[in-house]
Every structure is written in structure tokens, then in C-alpha cells.
Amino acid sequence: MFQIGPYTFDSQVILAPMAGITDRPFRHLCRELGAGLVVSEVVTADSTLWTSRKSQLRLDHQGEAEPIAVQIAGGDAQMMAEAARLNVDNGAQIIDINMGCPAKKVCKKAAGSALLKDEQLVAEILHAVVNAVAVPVTLKFRTGWSLEARNALQVARIAEDAGVSALALHGRTRACAFRGKAEYDTIAAVVQSVAIPVFCNGDIDSPTKAQEVLHYTGAQAVMIGRAAQGRPWIFREIDHYLRTGEHLPEPSLTEIRDILCSHLRELYGFYGEFMGPRIARKHVSWYLQTLTGSKAFRVQFNRIENAEEQHASVQHFFERLITNEEIAA
Ligand SMILES: Cc1cc2nc3c(=O)[nH]c(=O)nc-3n(C[C@H](O)[C@H](O)[C@H](O)COP(=O)(O)O)c2cc1C
């Protein structure tokens, strides 16, 4: 259990924000499968860009389970404050600030993890956003700008002083990008140095790893990104293991088919007949990557442009696998 402002979360497993992936359908699915908190894809602080279809879809929280957590990115304190206000007006109940991913420059200013180099600016942005909204503000960041400039402890204290309600920390520096292994010593040190909840992020891909990392760092929750791609049931697996010390059985082929087919339906509904099938391709590829015959299937699947045809073809793929499994049993 952990707390962000007035919100209490029963599951210690959080879905990391991932641009292009953690859209409304995926967030819904992860929540249903055991994620305590899910965070939206990043939205630029420059609200003049919000009229694009991409931004409109990112700002759409219709029917979303509460609390709705929206991530914003930008390098200008007043713009970030205004973006936070507008998002709260639009339904956000938690504002998450992105200083964790190598986001592109916004308005010729650094944004995302590039901000970590300038602690004064970090403080200005955090104070401005916290003062602009009545909802809790969280910060997602990396351990520093580079291995030589690892300032997570300073940034964490700045955030706590500014009134930030929780921290999500990815155990890599900006310069590391996704190379090497995430390190958890800095996360453990941050947990020791602040009183607000800290969520541990980076390379957590199994129930046992989640438990080890929670134990090692003393963090309040784990945040899962890439390991949830094509495997959204990882949230219930980790949640169950943390509660009971026992592993849940792997989902059956029938269940994977049902989860994927319902995910596809949500994607078609959300993105429409043209974009839906295109967005679906990467998800299907992740779901199937360990299944027999998926490589050949994907080649022909990626040529399908029609939603109904895509859906039927996934069902057919699974029917064949399920029948083969029954014959073998
Ligand atoms: C495709 C992709 C998109 C991402 N987009 C964002 C984002 O919009 N905001 C953010 O703070 N982090 C973003 N991240 C970083 C993740 O939230 C997370 O910190 C990182 O993937 C490490 O966690 P993992 O090892 O569990 O994947 C992204 C990562 C990936 C792989």
C-alpha cells in the first residue's frame, strides 16, 4: 500500500508512462490486471500544440478509473504551471512532471531529463507547478545528467521542499539512455533522504526482481515500463507475489487470446478504423513474441489494414495454437 496525497493505492505496482504505448486502452487494461497507478503518456507543456490529433487523444480521459495521473514535460516554469492547471481542468487528479526521459526540446528550452543539469530551473518548475494546482504533483526523474553528475539526492530534496508528493526514480542517468543495467543504490539513498514516497523504476521484469528491489531500496512501490509491453498481466503477477510469496501460474493461451482481443477492440474504438490497426501492430508483436510460429504470422499480419480482419487473424492464430496444445496433451 502507498499514498499520493489523498489517494491510497492497494497495489505496489505502477505502470510507467511510455509515449506511444501507455494510451488510454493500455492504461485501462493494466489497471484491470493489477496495476495500482497508471500514468498517461507525456503531454507537452506547450498548450498551443494540443490541437493536434495526437495531443487530443493523449488528453482524452473519458471513462478512465480514478485517480487520473497525467504527465507533462517542458522547460519553462510558467508554461508548466499553466499546462498543469489546464490538465486539472481537463480531469487530471495527479500531475506528474517528466524529468525522466530524453524528451525533445520544448520552445528551445531543455525538457525531460535534460533539466537535471540545472537545479535552479528544476526548483523553479517544481514550485510553480505545485503552487498552480490543488492536486498532488509527482516527479519522475533519472539519477542525474551523467554518471559524473549524479544529483538525484539534491533533486529529491528540492522536490520535497517544493511540496512534491511522491518521486519515481529510474536507476539510470540521462547519458546512460537505456544502456547498461539500472542501479538501485542511488534509489536506496534517495529513499533514506526524503520522507515522501519513492517508486523504484528500471529493468524490473519479474515478481522476484520486484521483491528484491523493494527490499534493497526500501521504496514504496515498483514502476514497470517495458516489461509490461505484450505482458500486461505482469501487474497481477507481481502484486500477487508481493502479497503472498507465491507465483501465479502463467496465463493460458485462451486467456492471452482474450486479453489481446479485448485490447484490440479498445484500440480500434479509441483510435478508429484507420489508426487503430496500425497502432495494434506493435502490441500484437509484443504479445506473440514468445509463441510458436509468431514470426511468420507477424509478416502477414502487418499487411492487414482492416480492424475486423486483424482481429479475426489473431483469433485464428490462437485457435491453431490452442488446438495443437490440446492434441499434444
Ligand atoms: C517507448 C518508451 C517511451 C517512454 N516514454 C516516456 C514518457 O513519456 N515519460 C517518461 O517519464 N518516461 C518515458 N519512458 C521511460 C519509462 O517510463 C521508464 O522510466 C523506462 O522505460 C525504464 O523502466 P523499464 O526498465 O521498466 O522499462 C519511456 C520508455 C520507453 C521504452
Side-chain angles (χ1 to χ4, degrees), residues 16-22 40-42 58 71 96-102 140 142 170 172 178 182 201-204 223-227 229 286:
M18 288 184 285
I21 296 156
T22 56
S40 75
E41 304 167 88
V42 63
R58 286 189 181 185
Q71 190 185 64
D96 184 47
I97 297 181
N98 178 335
M99 295 190 191
C101 89
K140 178 157 179 296
R142 285 185 177 229
H170 178 187
R172 288 187 175 86
F178 281 94
N201 174 236
D203 298 351
I204 300 164
M223 179 179 262
I224 311 289
R226 291 163 296 168
Q229 293 171 351
W286 287 322

Side-chain angles (χ1 to χ4, degrees), residues 91-146:
Q93 292 159 312
I94 294 173
I95 294 289
D96 184 47
I97 297 181
N98 178 335
M99 295 190 191
C101 89
K104 289 185 198 115
K105 284 183 179 177
V106 178
C107 285
K108 301 199 183 85
K109 290 200 174 194
S113 53
L115 291 171
L116 295 174
K117 210 173 186 178
D118 187 344
E119 289 174 16
Q120 176 67 34
L121 183 56
V122 167
E124 268 172 40
I125 290 175
L126 297 180
H127 278 278
V129 174
V130 169
N131 291 331
V133 291
V135 306
V137 175
T138 57
L139 172 68
K140 178 157 179 296
F141 65 127
R142 285 185 177 229
T143 53
W145 165 266
S146 65

Side-chain angles (χ1 to χ4, degrees), residues 9 11-12 94 108 145 147 149 163 186 226 265 268 276 301:
F9 298 85
S11 159
Q12 284 178 284
I94 294 173
K108 301 199 183 85
W145 165 266
L147 287 173
T186 308
R226 291 163 296 168
R265 287 265 171 243
Y268 304 147
F301 178 82

Side-chain angles (χ1 to χ4, degrees), residues 18 45 49 55 75 87 123 129 135 147 168 175 217 257 266 302 319:
M18 288 184 285
L49 302 174
S55 291
N87 271 292
V129 174
V135 306
L147 287 173
T217 60
R257 178 198 63 195
E266 288 219 27
N302 286 344
E319 265 158 38

Side-chain angles (χ1 to χ4, degrees), residues 30-272:
C30 292
R31 235 303 173 159
E32 291 220 306
L33 288 168
L37 169 69
V38 299
V39 186
S40 75
E41 304 167 88
V42 63
V43 178
T44 169
D46 184 353
S47 58
T48 62
L49 302 174
W50 292 358
T51 49
S52 72
R53 175 152 157 77
K54 190 163 117 182
S55 291
Q56 286 297 310
L57 287 168
R58 286 189 181 185
L59 295 165
D60 182 347
H61 305 296
Q62 223 183 348
E64 229 178 299
E66 299 188 350
I68 296 168
V70 173
Q71 190 185 64
I72 56 174
D76 181 274
Q78 288 323 308
M79 219 182 219
M80 286 286 276
E82 182 59 9
R85 264 193 295 267
L86 291 171
N87 271 292
V88 170
D89 290 347
N90 189 45
Q93 292 159 312
I94 294 173
I95 294 289
D96 184 47
I97 297 181
N98 178 335
M99 295 190 191
C101 89
K104 289 185 198 115
K105 284 183 179 177
V106 178
C107 285
K108 301 199 183 85
K109 290 200 174 194
S113 53
L115 291 171
L116 295 174
K117 210 173 186 178
D118 187 344
E119 289 174 16
Q120 176 67 34
L121 183 56
V122 167
E124 268 172 40
I125 290 175
L126 297 180
H127 278 278
V129 174
V130 169
N131 291 331
V133 291
V135 306
V137 175
T138 57
L139 172 68
K140 178 157 179 296
F141 65 127
R142 285 185 177 229
T143 53
W145 165 266
S146 65
L147 287 173
E148 300 71 42
R150 234 179 337 212
N151 60 346
L153 279 173
Q154 289 90 315
V155 171
R157 288 200 196 103
I158 291 169
E160 188 174 36
D161 287 348
V164 164
S165 298
L167 304 170
L169 183 50
H170 178 187
R172 288 187 175 86
T173 68
R174 179 188 187 272
C176 292
F178 281 94
R179 288 184 296 274
K181 285 187 184 159
E183 56 90 11
Y184 306 116
D185 289 319
T186 308
I187 301 180
V190 166
V191 171
Q192 286 298 315
S193 74
V194 292
I196 51 178
V198 178
F199 313 136
C200 184
N201 174 236
D203 298 351
I204 300 164
D205 57 1
S206 68
T208 41
K209 177 112 187 224
Q211 192 187 47
E212 280 163 23
V213 165
L214 282 176
H215 190 250
Y216 187 76
T217 60
Q220 270 75 5
V222 286
M223 179 179 262
I224 311 289
R226 291 163 296 168
Q229 293 171 351
R231 209 176 136 207
W233 49 87
I234 191 171
F235 295 98
R236 75 174 180 205
E237 289 179 344
I238 295 179
D239 182 47
H240 185 81
Y241 187 74
L242 293 178
R243 284 173 202 276
T244 65
E246 284 172 12
H247 288 284
L248 279 178
E250 285 281 317
S252 66
L253 284 170
T254 310
E255 194 186 5
I256 297 175
R257 178 198 63 195
D258 293 347
I259 291 171
L260 172 53
C261 284
S262 109
H263 189 178
L264 288 177
R265 287 265 171 243
E266 288 219 27
L267 288 173
Y268 304 147
F270 186 65
Y271 288 106

